[in-house]
Amino acid sequence: MRAVVRAGVVGPVVLLAVLLGGCGGAEGSAPGVGRSAVTRGPSDGPSPSTAAGVDGEVDPERVFTERELKAALLPGEAFGRGARVTATDLGLFGRYGGGDWSSCAAGDDLRAEMRGFEGDSAQRTVRLGGASEDGPVVTVQLVSLPGGRAERYLRIRRLLNETCPDVTVDTEAAPVEEHHEARELHALGDEALSESTRRTGGDEYDGDPTYVVHVRVGGVLAVVTSGGDSDTGILLAARAAERVRVGLYGAAAGGASG
């Protein structure tokens, strides 16, 4: 299968300013195009943090413990009114999500390298508020790595999306096609990447994308999965990045460096 690079760039400075500055979302609103499932208000989130190198003062080899990462996780109220924390998990980080590249031989070396990343992590799983118990579920995971390793991890994910944008995945019913795309997010942490994965073929796959946002702040990765709601993923990633920046690295709240 011919691999076609589909790497795009999105400039979320404006988008994040809208999301974090408040759009007047109402409690219990259903997620939709251009709307986040997380309730917003005029002062319920920080400004987008560029924080390059966390204001230039990060020890690149500094790492954090599971306990420190757990304390830096977003609290339940950061997920909006009516949100309910369903699990908080600690453990060793391994490859996190992003689909199945196993049928893409060109990505074998990258996948092998990605499996070698290890670091302490903490993850919070939350069911977002709303009238239904079947509301969307999101996860926010914090991972601590030496700075150079965290940079390399994101570099590998970019390369995998570029090298293997379209792969065939075997399922119990029949093979399906999995389509990958990665977009850079600017003005968010030291660097950030939004990945989308969608499956087509068979009876149960309609091609709707799912999203994972990866943000690096110093040597800490914040990984946000938000199902099919891209706006919610970006909003929570911005909040998680600011909390890491202030809570773990002690940077000034709301500050930014260019």
Coordinates of all heavy atoms in Angstrom, one line a residue, residues 90-187:
L90 N -1.6 4.4 38.8 CA -0.2 4.7 38.8 C 0.5 3.5 38.2 O 0.0 2.4 38.3 CB 0.3 4.9 40.2 CG -0.4 6.0 41.0 CD1 0.3 6.1 42.4 CD2 -0.3 7.3 40.4
G91 N 1.6 3.7 37.5 CA 2.3 2.6 37.0 C 3.4 3.0 36.0 O 3.5 4.2 35.7
L92 N 4.1 2.0 35.5 CA 5.2 2.3 34.5 C 4.6 2.6 33.1 O 3.7 1.9 32.7 CB 6.1 1.1 34.4 CG 7.4 1.2 33.7 CD1 8.3 2.3 34.5 CD2 8.2 -0.1 33.6
F93 N 5.0 3.6 32.5 CA 4.6 4.0 31.2 C 5.1 3.0 30.1 O 6.2 2.6 30.2 CB 5.1 5.4 30.9 CG 4.8 5.9 29.5 CD1 3.6 6.3 29.1 CD2 5.9 5.9 28.6 CE1 3.4 6.7 27.8 CE2 5.7 6.4 27.3 CZ 4.4 6.8 26.9
G94 N 4.2 2.7 29.2 CA 4.6 2.0 28.0 C 4.0 2.7 26.8 O 3.5 3.8 26.9
R95 N 4.1 2.1 25.7 CA 3.5 2.7 24.5 C 2.0 3.0 24.7 O 1.3 2.1 25.2 CB 3.6 1.7 23.3 CG 3.2 2.4 22.0 CD 3.3 1.4 20.8 NE 2.2 0.5 20.8 CZ 1.0 0.7 20.2 NH1 0.8 1.9 19.6 NH2 0.0 -0.2 20.2
Y96 N 1.6 4.2 24.4 CA 0.2 4.6 24.7 C -0.6 4.9 23.5 O -0.4 5.9 22.8 CB 0.3 5.9 25.6 CG -1.0 6.2 26.2 CD1 -1.4 5.7 27.4 CD2 -1.9 7.1 25.6 CE1 -2.6 6.1 28.0 CE2 -3.1 7.4 26.1 CZ -3.5 6.9 27.3 OH -4.7 7.2 27.9
G97 N -1.5 3.9 23.2 CA -2.5 4.2 22.2 C -1.9 4.5 20.8 O -0.8 4.1 20.4
G98 N -2.8 5.1 20.0 CA -2.3 5.5 18.6 C -2.5 4.5 17.5 O -2.0 4.7 16.4
G99 N -3.3 3.5 17.8 CA -3.6 2.6 16.7 C -2.6 1.4 16.5 O -1.7 1.2 17.3
D100 N -2.7 0.8 15.4 CA -2.0 -0.5 15.1 C -1.1 -0.3 13.9 O -1.7 -0.2 12.8 CB -3.0 -1.6 15.0 CG -2.3 -3.0 14.8 OD1 -1.0 -3.0 14.6 OD2 -2.9 -4.0 14.9
W101 N 0.2 -0.2 14.0 CA 1.1 0.0 12.9 C 1.8 -1.3 12.5 O 2.7 -1.3 11.7 CB 2.1 1.0 13.2 CG 1.7 2.4 13.0 CD1 1.3 3.1 11.9 CD2 1.5 3.4 14.1 NE1 1.0 4.4 12.2 CE2 1.1 4.6 13.5 CE3 1.7 3.4 15.5 CZ2 0.8 5.8 14.2 CZ3 1.5 4.5 16.2 CH2 1.0 5.7 15.6
S102 N 1.3 -2.5 13.1 CA 2.1 -3.7 12.9 C 2.2 -4.2 11.5 O 3.2 -4.9 11.2 CB 1.5 -4.8 13.8 OG 0.2 -5.0 13.5
S103 N 1.3 -3.8 10.6 CA 1.3 -4.3 9.3 C 2.2 -3.4 8.4 O 2.3 -3.7 7.2 CB -0.1 -4.4 8.7 OG -0.7 -3.1 8.5
C104 N 2.8 -2.4 8.9 CA 3.6 -1.4 8.1 C 5.1 -1.7 8.4 O 5.6 -1.3 9.4 CB 3.3 0.0 8.5 SG 4.3 1.3 7.6
A105 N 5.7 -2.5 7.5 CA 7.1 -2.9 7.7 C 8.0 -1.7 7.8 O 9.0 -1.7 8.5 CB 7.5 -3.8 6.6
A106 N 7.7 -0.6 7.1 CA 8.6 0.6 7.1 C 8.7 1.2 8.5 O 9.6 2.0 8.8 CB 8.0 1.6 6.1
G107 N 7.7 0.9 9.4 CA 7.7 1.5 10.7 C 8.2 0.5 11.8 O 8.2 0.8 13.0
D108 N 8.8 -0.7 11.4 CA 9.2 -1.7 12.4 C 10.2 -1.1 13.4 O 10.1 -1.3 14.6 CB 9.7 -2.9 11.7 CG 8.6 -3.8 11.1 OD1 7.4 -3.5 11.4 OD2 8.9 -4.7 10.3
D109 N 11.2 -0.5 12.8 CA 12.3 0.1 13.7 C 11.8 1.1 14.7 O 12.2 1.2 15.8 CB 13.4 0.6 12.9 CG 14.2 -0.5 12.1 OD1 14.1 -1.6 12.5 OD2 15.0 -0.1 11.2
L110 N 10.9 2.0 14.2 CA 10.3 3.0 15.0 C 9.5 2.4 16.1 O 9.5 2.8 17.3 CB 9.5 4.0 14.2 CG 10.2 4.8 13.2 CD1 9.2 5.5 12.3 CD2 11.1 5.8 13.9
R111 N 8.6 1.4 15.8 CA 7.8 0.7 16.8 C 8.7 0.0 17.8 O 8.4 0.0 19.0 CB 6.9 -0.3 16.1 CG 5.8 0.3 15.3 CD 4.7 -0.7 14.9 NE 5.2 -1.8 14.1 CZ 5.4 -3.0 14.5 NH1 5.0 -3.3 15.8 NH2 5.9 -3.9 13.7
A112 N 9.8 -0.6 17.4 CA 10.7 -1.3 18.3 C 11.3 -0.3 19.3 O 11.4 -0.5 20.5 CB 11.7 -2.0 17.6
E113 N 11.7 0.9 18.8 CA 12.3 1.9 19.6 C 11.2 2.5 20.6 O 11.5 2.7 21.8 CB 12.8 3.0 18.8 CG 13.6 4.1 19.6 CD 14.2 5.2 18.8 OE1 14.2 5.1 17.6 OE2 14.7 6.2 19.5
M114 N 10.0 2.6 20.2 CA 9.0 3.2 21.0 C 8.7 2.3 22.2 O 8.3 2.7 23.3 CB 7.7 3.5 20.2 CG 6.6 4.2 21.0 SD 5.3 4.9 19.9 CE 4.7 3.4 19.2
R115 N 8.8 0.9 22.0 CA 8.5 0.0 23.1 C 9.6 0.1 24.2 O 9.4 -0.4 25.3 CB 8.5 -1.4 22.5 CG 7.2 -1.7 21.7 CD 7.0 -3.2 21.5 NE 8.1 -3.8 20.7 CZ 8.0 -3.9 19.4 NH1 7.0 -3.5 18.7 NH2 9.0 -4.4 18.7
G116 N 10.7 0.8 23.9 CA 11.8 0.9 24.9 C 11.7 2.0 25.8 O 12.5 2.2 26.7
F117 N 10.6 2.8 25.7 CA 10.5 4.0 26.6 C 9.8 3.5 27.9 O 8.8 2.9 27.9 CB 9.6 5.1 25.9 CG 10.3 5.8 24.9 CD1 10.4 5.4 23.6 CD2 10.9 7.0 25.2 CE1 11.1 6.1 22.6 CE2 11.6 7.8 24.2 CZ 11.7 7.3 22.9
E118 N 10.4 3.9 29.0 CA 9.9 3.6 30.3 C 10.0 4.8 31.2 O 11.0 5.6 31.2 CB 10.6 2.4 31.0 CG 10.4 1.1 30.3 CD 11.0 0.0 31.0 OE1 11.8 0.2 32.0 OE2 10.7 -1.2 30.7
G119 N 9.0 5.1 32.0 CA 9.0 6.2 32.9 C 7.8 6.1 33.9 O 6.8 5.4 33.5
D120 N 7.9 6.7 35.0 CA 6.8 6.7 35.9 C 5.6 7.5 35.3 O 5.8 8.4 34.6 CB 7.2 7.3 37.3 CG 8.0 6.4 38.1 OD1 8.0 5.2 37.9 OD2 8.7 6.9 39.0
S121 N 4.4 7.1 35.7 CA 3.2 7.7 35.1 C 2.1 7.7 36.1 O 2.0 6.9 37.1 CB 2.8 7.1 33.8 OG 2.2 5.9 34.0
A122 N 1.1 8.6 35.9 CA -0.1 8.6 36.7 C -1.2 9.0 35.7 O -1.0 9.9 34.8 CB -0.1 9.7 37.8
Q123 N -2.4 8.4 35.8 CA -3.5 8.6 34.9 C -4.8 8.8 35.6 O -5.1 8.0 36.6 CB -3.5 7.4 33.9 CG -4.7 7.5 32.9 CD -4.7 6.4 31.9 OE1 -3.8 6.3 31.1 NE2 -5.7 5.5 32.0
R124 N -5.6 9.7 35.1 CA -6.9 9.9 35.7 C -7.9 9.7 34.6 O -7.8 10.2 33.4 CB -7.0 11.3 36.2 CG -8.4 11.7 36.8 CD -8.2 12.6 38.0 NE -7.5 12.0 39.1 CZ -6.9 12.7 40.1 NH1 -6.9 14.0 40.1 NH2 -6.4 12.1 41.1
T125 N -9.0 8.9 34.9 CA -10.1 8.6 33.9 C -11.3 9.3 34.5 O -11.7 9.2 35.7 CB -10.3 7.1 33.8 OG1 -9.1 6.5 33.4 CG2 -11.4 6.8 32.8
V126 N -12.0 10.0 33.6 CA -13.1 10.8 34.0 C -14.3 10.7 33.1 O -14.1 10.7 31.8 CB -12.7 12.3 34.1 CG1 -13.9 13.2 34.4 CG2 -11.6 12.5 35.1
R127 N -15.5 10.5 33.6 CA -16.7 10.6 32.8 C -17.2 12.0 32.9 O -17.5 12.5 33.9 CB -17.8 9.6 33.3 CG -19.0 9.5 32.4 CD -20.0 8.5 32.9 NE -19.5 7.1 32.8 CZ -19.4 6.4 31.7 NH1 -19.8 6.9 30.5 NH2 -18.9 5.2 31.7
L128 N -17.3 12.6 31.7 CA -17.7 14.0 31.7 C -19.2 14.2 32.0 O -20.0 13.3 31.9 CB -17.5 14.6 30.3 CG -16.0 14.6 29.8 CD1 -15.9 15.3 28.5 CD2 -15.1 15.3 30.8
G129 N -19.5 15.4 32.5 CA -20.9 15.7 33.0 C -21.9 15.7 31.9 O -21.6 15.8 30.8
G130 N -23.2 15.6 32.3 CA -24.3 15.6 31.4 C -25.4 14.8 32.0 O -25.3 14.2 33.1
A131 N -26.5 14.7 31.3 CA -27.7 14.1 31.8 C -27.6 12.5 31.7 O -28.3 11.8 32.5 CB -28.9 14.5 31.0
S132 N -26.7 12.0 30.9 CA -26.6 10.6 30.7 C -25.5 10.0 31.4 O -24.4 10.5 31.5 CB -26.6 10.3 29.2 OG -26.3 8.9 29.0
E133 N -25.7 8.7 31.9 CA -24.6 8.0 32.5 C -23.7 7.4 31.4 O -22.6 6.9 31.7 CB -25.1 6.8 33.3 CG -25.6 7.2 34.7 CD -24.5 7.8 35.6 OE1 -23.4 7.2 35.6 OE2 -24.8 8.9 36.2
D134 N -24.1 7.6 30.1 CA -23.3 7.1 29.0 C -22.5 8.3 28.4 O -22.1 8.2 27.2 CB -24.2 6.5 27.9 CG -24.9 5.3 28.4 OD1 -24.3 4.5 29.2 OD2 -26.1 5.0 28.0
G135 N -22.2 9.3 29.2 CA -21.5 10.4 28.7 C -20.1 10.1 28.4 O -19.6 9.0 28.7
P136 N -19.4 10.9 27.6 CA -18.0 10.6 27.1 C -17.0 10.4 28.2 O -17.1 11.1 29.3 CB -17.7 11.8 26.2 CG -18.6 12.9 26.7 CD -19.8 12.3 27.2
V137 N -16.1 9.6 28.0 CA -15.0 9.3 29.0 C -13.7 9.8 28.4 O -13.4 9.6 27.2 CB -14.9 7.8 29.3 CG1 -13.7 7.5 30.1 CG2 -16.2 7.3 29.9
V138 N -12.9 10.5 29.2 CA -11.6 11.0 28.8 C -10.6 10.5 29.8 O -10.9 10.2 30.9 CB -11.6 12.5 28.7 CG1 -12.6 13.0 27.6 CG2 -11.8 13.2 30.0
T139 N -9.3 10.4 29.3 CA -8.2 10.1 30.2 C -7.1 11.2 30.0 O -6.9 11.7 28.9 CB -7.6 8.7 30.0 OG1 -7.1 8.7 28.7 CG2 -8.7 7.7 30.1
V140 N -6.5 11.5 31.1 CA -5.3 12.4 31.1 C -4.2 11.6 31.8 O -4.3 11.3 33.0 CB -5.6 13.7 31.8 CG1 -4.3 14.6 31.8 CG2 -6.7 14.5 31.1
Q141 N -3.1 11.4 31.1 CA -2.0 10.7 31.7 C -0.7 11.6 31.7 O -0.5 12.3 30.7 CB -1.6 9.4 30.9 CG -0.5 8.6 31.5 CD -0.2 7.4 30.7 OE1 -0.2 7.4 29.4 NE2 0.1 6.3 31.3
L142 N 0.0 11.6 32.9 CA 1.2 12.3 33.0 C 2.4 11.3 33.0 O 2.3 10.3 33.8 CB 1.3 13.2 34.2 CG 0.2 14.3 34.3 CD1 0.4 15.1 35.6 CD2 0.2 15.2 33.1
V143 N 3.4 11.5 32.2 CA 4.5 10.6 32.2 C 5.8 11.4 32.3 O 6.0 12.5 31.7 CB 4.6 9.9 30.8 CG1 5.8 8.9 30.7 CG2 3.3 9.2 30.5
S144 N 6.7 10.9 33.2 CA 8.0 11.6 33.4 C 9.1 10.9 32.8 O 9.3 9.7 33.1 CB 8.2 11.7 34.9 OG 9.5 12.4 35.2
L145 N 9.9 11.6 31.9 CA 11.0 11.0 31.3 C 12.1 12.1 31.3 O 11.8 13.3 31.5 CB 10.7 10.7 29.8 CG 9.7 9.7 29.5 CD1 9.3 9.7 28.0 CD2 10.2 8.3 29.8
P146 N 13.4 11.7 31.1 CA 14.4 12.8 30.9 C 14.0 13.6 29.7 O 13.4 13.0 28.7 CB 15.7 11.9 30.7 CG 15.5 10.7 31.4 CD 14.0 10.4 31.2
G147 N 14.4 14.8 29.7 CA 13.9 15.7 28.6 C 14.2 15.2 27.2 O 13.3 15.3 26.3
G148 N 15.4 14.8 27.0 CA 15.8 14.3 25.7 C 14.9 13.1 25.2 O 14.6 12.9 24.0
R149 N 14.6 12.2 26.2 CA 13.8 11.0 25.9 C 12.4 11.4 25.5 O 11.7 10.9 24.6 CB 13.8 10.1 27.0 CG 15.1 9.4 27.3 CD 15.5 8.4 26.2 NE 14.8 7.2 26.4 CZ 14.7 6.3 25.4 NH1 15.2 6.5 24.2 NH2 14.0 5.2 25.6
A150 N 11.8 12.4 26.3 CA 10.5 12.9 26.0 C 10.4 13.5 24.6 O 9.4 13.3 23.8 CB 10.0 13.9 27.0
E151 N 11.4 14.3 24.2 CA 11.5 14.8 22.8 C 11.5 13.7 21.8 O 10.8 13.8 20.8 CB 12.7 15.8 22.7 CG 12.6 17.1 23.5 CD 13.8 18.0 23.2 OE1 13.9 18.4 22.0 OE2 14.5 18.2 24.1
R152 N 12.4 12.7 22.1 CA 12.5 11.6 21.1 C 11.2 10.9 21.0 O 10.8 10.4 19.9 CB 13.6 10.7 21.5 CG 13.9 9.5 20.6 CD 14.2 9.9 19.2 NE 14.3 8.8 18.3 CZ 14.4 8.8 17.0 NH1 14.3 10.0 16.4 NH2 14.5 7.7 16.3
Y153 N 10.5 10.7 22.0 CA 9.2 10.0 22.0 C 8.2 10.6 21.0 O 7.6 10.0 20.2 CB 8.6 9.8 23.4 CG 7.3 9.1 23.4 CD1 7.2 7.7 23.4 CD2 6.1 9.8 23.4 CE1 6.0 7.0 23.3 CE2 4.8 9.1 23.4 CZ 4.9 7.7 23.3 OH 3.7 7.0 23.3
L154 N 8.1 11.9 21.1 CA 7.2 12.7 20.2 C 7.7 12.6 18.8 O 6.9 12.5 17.9 CB 7.0 14.1 20.7 CG 6.2 14.3 21.9 CD1 5.9 15.8 22.2 CD2 4.8 13.6 21.8
R155 N 9.0 12.7 18.6 CA 9.6 12.6 17.3 C 9.3 11.2 16.6 O 8.9 11.2 15.5 CB 11.1 12.7 17.4 CG 11.9 12.5 16.1 CD 11.5 13.5 15.0 NE 12.3 13.4 13.8 CZ 11.9 13.9 12.6 NH1 10.8 14.5 12.5 NH2 12.7 13.7 11.6
I156 N 9.3 10.1 17.4 CA 9.0 8.8 16.9 C 7.5 8.8 16.5 O 7.1 8.2 15.4 CB 9.3 7.7 17.9 CG1 10.8 7.6 18.0 CG2 8.7 6.4 17.5 CD1 11.2 6.6 19.1
R157 N 6.6 9.4 17.3 CA 5.2 9.3 16.9 C 4.9 10.1 15.7 O 4.1 9.8 14.8 CB 4.4 9.9 18.1 CG 4.5 9.1 19.4 CD 3.3 9.2 20.3 NE 2.1 8.6 19.7 CZ 1.7 7.3 19.9 NH1 2.5 6.5 20.7 NH2 0.7 6.8 19.3
R158 N 5.6 11.3 15.5 CA 5.5 12.0 14.2 C 5.9 11.1 13.1 O 5.2 11.1 12.0 CB 6.4 13.3 14.3 CG 5.9 14.3 15.2 CD 6.7 15.6 15.1 NE 6.4 16.6 16.0 CZ 6.9 16.8 17.2 NH1 7.9 16.0 17.6 NH2 6.5 17.7 18.0
L159 N 7.1 10.5 13.2 CA 7.6 9.7 12.1 C 6.7 8.5 11.8 O 6.5 8.2 10.6 CB 9.0 9.2 12.4 CG 10.1 10.3 12.5 CD1 11.4 9.7 13.0 CD2 10.3 10.8 11.1
L160 N 6.1 7.9 12.8 CA 5.2 6.8 12.5 C 4.0 7.2 11.7 O 3.5 6.6 10.8 CB 4.8 6.1 13.8 CG 5.7 5.0 14.4 CD1 5.3 4.6 15.8 CD2 5.7 3.8 13.4
N161 N 3.4 8.4 12.1 CA 2.3 8.9 11.4 C 2.6 9.3 10.0 O 1.8 9.1 9.0 CB 1.7 10.1 12.1 CG 0.8 9.8 13.3 OD1 -0.4 9.5 13.1 ND2 1.3 9.8 14.5
E162 N 3.8 9.8 9.7 CA 4.2 10.1 8.4 C 4.6 8.9 7.6 O 4.3 8.8 6.4 CB 5.5 11.0 8.5 CG 5.2 12.4 9.1 CD 6.4 13.2 9.3 OE1 7.5 12.7 9.0 OE2 6.3 14.3 9.9
T163 N 5.2 7.9 8.2 CA 5.7 6.7 7.5 C 4.6 5.8 7.2 O 4.5 5.1 6.1 CB 6.8 6.0 8.3 OG1 7.8 6.9 8.6 CG2 7.4 4.8 7.5
C164 N 3.6 5.6 8.1 CA 2.6 4.6 8.0 C 1.2 5.3 8.1 O 0.5 5.0 9.1 CB 2.7 3.5 9.0 SG 4.3 2.7 9.0
P165 N 0.8 6.2 7.2 CA -0.5 6.9 7.4 C -1.7 5.9 7.2 O -2.8 6.2 7.7 CB -0.5 8.0 6.4 CG 0.5 7.5 5.3 CD 1.5 6.7 6.0
D166 N -1.5 4.9 6.4 CA -2.6 4.0 6.1 C -2.1 2.6 6.2 O -1.1 2.1 5.6 CB -3.1 4.2 4.6 CG -3.6 5.6 4.4 OD1 -4.7 5.9 4.9 OD2 -3.0 6.4 3.7
V167 N -2.8 1.8 7.1 CA -2.4 0.4 7.4 C -3.6 -0.5 7.4 O -4.7 0.0 7.5 CB -1.6 0.3 8.7 CG1 -0.3 1.1 8.7 CG2 -2.5 0.7 9.9
T168 N -3.4 -1.8 7.2 CA -4.5 -2.7 7.2 C -4.4 -3.5 8.6 O -3.3 -3.9 9.0 CB -4.3 -3.8 6.1 OG1 -4.4 -3.1 4.8 CG2 -5.5 -4.8 6.1
V169 N -5.5 -3.6 9.2 CA -5.6 -4.2 10.6 C -6.5 -5.4 10.5 O -7.6 -5.3 10.0 CB -6.1 -3.2 11.6 CG1 -6.1 -3.8 13.0 CG2 -5.2 -1.9 11.6
D170 N -6.0 -6.5 11.0 CA -6.9 -7.7 11.0 C -7.8 -7.6 12.2 O -7.4 -7.3 13.3 CB -6.0 -9.0 11.1 CG -5.3 -9.3 9.8 OD1 -5.9 -9.0 8.8 OD2 -4.2 -9.8 9.8
T171 N -9.1 -7.9 12.0 CA -10.0 -8.0 13.1 C -10.7 -9.3 13.0 O -10.5 -10.1 12.1 CB -11.1 -6.9 13.0 OG1 -11.9 -7.1 11.8 CG2 -10.5 -5.5 12.9
E172 N -11.5 -9.7 14.0 CA -12.2 -11.0 14.1 C -13.1 -11.1 12.9 O -13.3 -12.2 12.4 CB -13.0 -11.1 15.4 CG -12.1 -11.2 16.6 CD -12.9 -11.5 17.9 OE1 -14.1 -11.5 17.8 OE2 -12.3 -11.6 18.9
A173 N -13.7 -10.0 12.4 CA -14.7 -10.1 11.3 C -13.9 -10.1 10.0 O -14.1 -11.0 9.2 CB -15.6 -9.0 11.4
A174 N -13.1 -9.1 9.7 CA -12.5 -8.9 8.4 C -11.4 -7.8 8.6 O -11.5 -7.0 9.5 CB -13.5 -8.6 7.4
P175 N -10.4 -7.8 7.7 CA -9.5 -6.7 7.7 C -10.1 -5.4 7.5 O -11.1 -5.3 6.7 CB -8.5 -7.1 6.6 CG -8.7 -8.5 6.3 CD -10.1 -8.8 6.6
V176 N -9.6 -4.4 8.2 CA -10.2 -3.0 8.0 C -9.0 -2.1 7.8 O -7.8 -2.4 8.1 CB -10.9 -2.5 9.3 CG1 -12.2 -3.4 9.5 CG2 -10.1 -2.5 10.5
E177 N -9.3 -0.9 7.3 CA -8.2 0.1 7.0 C -8.2 1.1 8.2 O -9.2 1.5 8.6 CB -8.5 0.8 5.7 CG -8.5 -0.1 4.5 CD -7.2 -0.8 4.3 OE1 -6.1 -0.1 4.3 OE2 -7.2 -2.0 4.1
E178 N -7.0 1.4 8.6 CA -6.8 2.3 9.7 C -6.0 3.5 9.1 O -4.9 3.3 8.5 CB -6.0 1.7 10.8 CG -6.0 2.5 12.1 CD -5.5 1.7 13.3 OE1 -4.2 1.7 13.5 OE2 -6.3 1.2 14.0
H179 N -6.5 4.7 9.3 CA -5.9 5.9 8.8 C -5.4 6.8 9.9 O -6.1 7.1 10.8 CB -7.0 6.6 7.9 CG -7.7 5.7 7.0 ND1 -7.2 5.4 5.7 CD2 -8.9 5.1 7.1 CE1 -8.1 4.6 5.1 NE2 -9.1 4.4 5.9
H180 N -4.2 7.3 9.7 CA -3.5 8.1 10.8 C -3.2 9.4 10.2 O -2.8 9.6 9.1 CB -2.2 7.4 11.2 CG -2.4 6.1 11.8 ND1 -2.6 5.9 13.2 CD2 -2.4 4.8 11.3 CE1 -2.8 4.6 13.5 NE2 -2.7 3.9 12.3
E181 N -3.3 10.4 11.1 CA -2.9 11.8 10.8 C -2.4 12.4 12.0 O -2.9 12.2 13.1 CB -4.0 12.6 10.2 CG -3.7 14.0 9.8 CD -4.8 14.8 9.1 OE1 -5.9 14.1 8.9 OE2 -4.6 16.0 8.9
A182 N -1.3 13.2 11.9 CA -0.8 14.0 13.0 C -0.7 15.4 12.7 O -0.3 15.8 11.5 CB 0.6 13.4 13.4
R183 N -1.0 16.3 13.6 CA -1.0 17.7 13.4 C -0.2 18.4 14.6 O -0.4 18.0 15.7 CB -2.4 18.3 13.3 CG -3.2 17.8 12.3 CD -4.6 18.5 12.2 NE -5.3 18.3 13.5 CZ -6.4 19.1 13.8 NH1 -6.8 20.1 13.1 NH2 -7.0 18.8 15.0
E184 N 0.6 19.3 14.2 CA 1.4 20.1 15.3 C 0.4 21.1 15.9 O -0.4 21.7 15.2 CB 2.6 20.8 14.7 CG 3.6 19.9 14.0 CD 4.3 19.0 14.9 OE1 4.5 19.4 16.1 OE2 4.7 17.9 14.5
L185 N 0.5 21.2 17.2 CA -0.2 22.2 17.9 C 0.8 23.2 18.5 O 1.7 22.9 19.3 CB -1.0 21.6 19.1 CG -2.1 20.6 18.7 CD1 -2.7 19.9 20.0 CD2 -3.2 21.2 17.8
H186 N 0.6 24.5 18.1 CA 1.6 25.5 18.6 C 1.0 26.2 19.8 O -0.2 26.2 20.1 CB 1.9 26.5 17.5 CG 2.5 25.8 16.3 ND1 3.7 25.2 16.3 CD2 2.1 25.6 15.0 CE1 4.1 24.7 15.2 NE2 3.0 24.9 14.3
A187 N 1.9 26.9 20.5 CA 1.5 27.7 21.7 C 0.9 26.8 22.8 O 0.0 27.2 23.5 CB 0.6 28.9 21.4

